[in-house]
Amino acid sequence: MDSFTPTAADRFSFGLWTVGNPGRDPFGGPTRPTQDPCHLVRKLAECGAWGVNLHDNDLVPFGASAAERDDIVSGFKRTLDETGIVVPMATTNLFSHPIFKDGAFTSNDPKVRAFAINKTMDAIDLGVELGATTYVFWGGREGTEADACRDPQDAMKRFRHAIDFLCEYVKDNGYDLRFALEAKPNEPRCDIYLATTGHMLHFISTLENNEMVGVNPEVAHEHMAGLSFVHGVAQAMEAGKLFHIDLNAQRIGRYDQDLRFGSEDLKQAFLLVRLLEGNAGNAPYTGPRHFDAHAYRTEDEEGVWDFARGCMRTYKILVERTRAFDADPEVKDLIRVPTDAALDPVLSNSYSAESVAALRSMDVDPDAIGAAGLGYERLDQIMCEYLMGAR
Ligand code: GLT
Ligand code: MN
Ligand code: MN
């Protein structure tokens, strides 16, 4: 036990599909046994996690009878009660069964779309029964290889219809549940619709019940596209739309690696934790810290728990490191924002004749400003030194 040992107050969660991943990949079968969900919950509790998330079929197999479902769910609920582990988020598996091979909500076939909406209503009921207040939509199969198969505009319309319909389902049932849409650029499809968090944010603004829909950005998914995850998350936070987050690690330009949090691109992880914790004076993110990551295929069960503890420990170490960075007087000095009594009101108030006059008569020397250094080399080096433990 040390100050980096996780507690329930940290609100760390894992998916059943993450710590339960048996190490299968496209080139080989499992390298470790499939674990019972109740066993995974007990082990998560032992490791200091607070929550567990699930797809409908992580718990209840596809095609199970109502009696089988109820039996499984009551056993799972008993384990949740015994361990104190909560279910903050739930989602639907709309990607494994062959019926979804060409998408779920965006499929050309009305039978597939209807099946997907119906499956999601059942999975929402399950999630709510287990206590979930966030519902994630990851459209893994909502995309194409042979792009001439449908007009992508129709895909947007169908996806919108499904989300609008399901928002009404939630309201109709009086559920306390918000939706979080998760973007991914590709894999398993050649191209997936709504490829980035930015695409999702605009799509949400077109929904009938847009106040109950936000985003669930994933580190790996934005990095696959070579984008800044921190900028995407910040845009979502600024819009009041960061409802959930999938933490993991990923090298740019590769398949979806879903690696242990912080194990690649530590600098981005540092900046992300700094943003989520609100160290730079911004409003912090208050939702669950969810790890959507997998242990290496090389690991046995013990390695899976090393992986889970590693995700949480790295997050907590980065909380401490980022706080130290922001408390450093030299850093404070380097990031101090200059003020200007005449121009600050002009730049924060809306358009007026006075503002135009103030801009027309401003006292700005472009050459002097252009010639002055900003000290960002020093700033970034200090950040690297905090990361390396040299400061
Ligand atoms: C799947 C995917 C993840 C999503 C999960 C939720 S399922 O593992 O790779 O990114 O968050 O559906
Ligand atoms: Mn994810
Ligand atoms: Mn991923």
Side-chain angles (χ1 to χ4, degrees):
M1 284 283 279
D2 60 18
S3 63
F4 304 124
T5 306
T7 69
D10 296 314
R11 311 229 293 155
F12 289 133
S13 61
F14 289 83
L16 279 182
W17 70 93
T18 66
V19 286
N21 182 306
R24 193 181 291 115
D25 75 11
F27 304 95
T31 58
R32 36 185 192 255
T34 300
Q35 302 285 359
D36 174 66
C38 295
H39 171 73
L40 295 173
V41 168
R42 283 188 207 100
K43 293 298 286 185
L44 281 173
E46 250 176 68
C47 289
W50 156 82
V52 68
N53 301 320
L54 48 96
H55 299 87
D56 47 357
N57 304 137
D58 296 342
L59 184 62
V60 182
F62 187 97
S65 70
E68 283 162 351
R69 177 227 185 255
D70 291 350
D71 201 39
I72 294 169
V73 173
S74 62
F76 191 68
K77 278 171 145 173
R78 267 199 305 280
T79 310
L80 294 174
D81 288 345
E82 277 161 33
T83 55
I85 292 281
V86 297
V87 176
M89 176 272 258
T91 183
T92 331
N93 184 326
L94 294 174
F95 43 88
S96 293
H97 193 282
I99 187 175
F100 302 124
K101 65 190 174 192
D102 191 28
F105 300 145
T106 63
S107 163
N108 285 348
D109 186 340
K111 286 196 168 56
V112 175
R113 300 204 298 277
F115 188 86
I117 293 177
N118 194 45
K119 188 175 196 285
T120 305
M121 291 191 296
D122 286 346
I124 286 176
D125 295 345
L126 171 66
V128 169
E129 182 177 348
L130 295 171
T133 53
T134 303
Y135 202 84
V136 162
F137 290 82
W138 172 64
R141 299 275 178 201
E142 314 287 10
T144 54
E145 290 80 32
D147 232 319
C149 70
R150 79 179 67 80
D151 182 342
Q153 297 178 92
D154 289 337
M156 291 304 98
K157 289 182 173 62
R158 290 172 189 162
F159 199 73
R160 181 179 303 112
H161 171 267
I163 301 292
D164 281 341
F165 189 97
L166 291 163
C167 281
E168 291 300 331
Y169 180 74
V170 166
K171 284 170 41 182
D172 202 20
N173 283 278
Y175 291 157
D176 173 21
L177 191 70
R178 299 195 301 178
F179 290 175
L181 309 186
E182 178 176 346
K184 189 174 182 182
N186 58 274
E187 195 194 327
R189 301 312 296 271
C190 180
D191 287 292
I192 298 178
Y193 301 123
L194 297 164
T196 71
T197 297
H199 290 73
M200 285 299 184
L201 286 170
H202 174 263
F203 175 77
I204 290 167
S205 74
T206 71
L207 296 172
E208 273 166 19
N209 294 289
N210 58 68
E211 71 294 337
M212 59 186 281
V213 186
V215 290
N216 177 42
E218 174 173 318
V219 176
H221 299 177
E222 307 289 317
H223 283 192
M224 284 168 75
L227 301 175
S228 163
F229 188 64
V230 170
H231 291 189
V233 169
Q235 188 181 350
M237 286 171 83
E238 204 266 340
K241 288 295 184 191
L242 187 66
F243 287 7
H244 199 264
I245 192 158
D246 279 3
L247 301 167
N248 56 21
Q250 166 82 25
R251 286 218 223 163
I252 280 177
R254 304 203 175 187
Y255 68 95
D256 185 23
Q257 294 179 302
D258 293 337
L259 299 166
R260 190 180 74 257
F261 180 63
S263 63
E264 294 291 341
D265 207 344
L266 260 180
K267 202 157 130 179
Q268 276 290 308
F270 180 98
L271 289 164
L272 176 64
V273 170
R274 180 173 183 253
L275 176 71
L276 294 177
E277 299 298 315
N279 290 358
N282 59 302
Y285 164 72
T286 54
R289 272 69 175 160
H290 171 64
F291 298 103
D292 184 11
H294 307 156
Y296 304 139
R297 190 166 182 268
T298 51
E299 302 310 289
D300 60 8
E301 195 194 341
E302 199 38 47
V304 172
W305 304 114
D306 287 338
F307 146 86
R309 281 187 293 263
C311 286
M312 298 187 279
R313 197 170 167 79
T314 297
Y315 191 98
K316 292 199 76 163
I317 293 170
L318 286 172
V319 171
E320 187 276 320
R321 294 278 77 201
T322 56
R323 284 196 183 133
F325 172 78
D326 280 301
D328 188 314
E330 202 181 343
V331 171
K332 285 186 198 278
D333 214 36
L334 282 161
I335 63 176
R336 184 166 298 120
V337 178
T339 55
D340 187 302
L343 292 177
D344 282 341
V346 176
L347 295 170
S348 48
N349 296 341
S350 43
Y351 183 88
S352 69
E354 295 74 49
S355 295
V356 173
L359 288 172
R360 295 280 188 229
S361 61
M362 69 183 158
D363 175 25
V364 168
D365 177 353
D367 294 335
I369 295 173
L374 294 177
Y376 291 168
E377 281 291 355
R378 182 77 195 127
L379 178 66
D380 201 75
Q381 176 65 22
I382 295 173
M383 193 176 80
C384 291
E385 293 193 12
Y386 274 101
L387 260 175
M388 293 185 287
R391 206 164 155 125

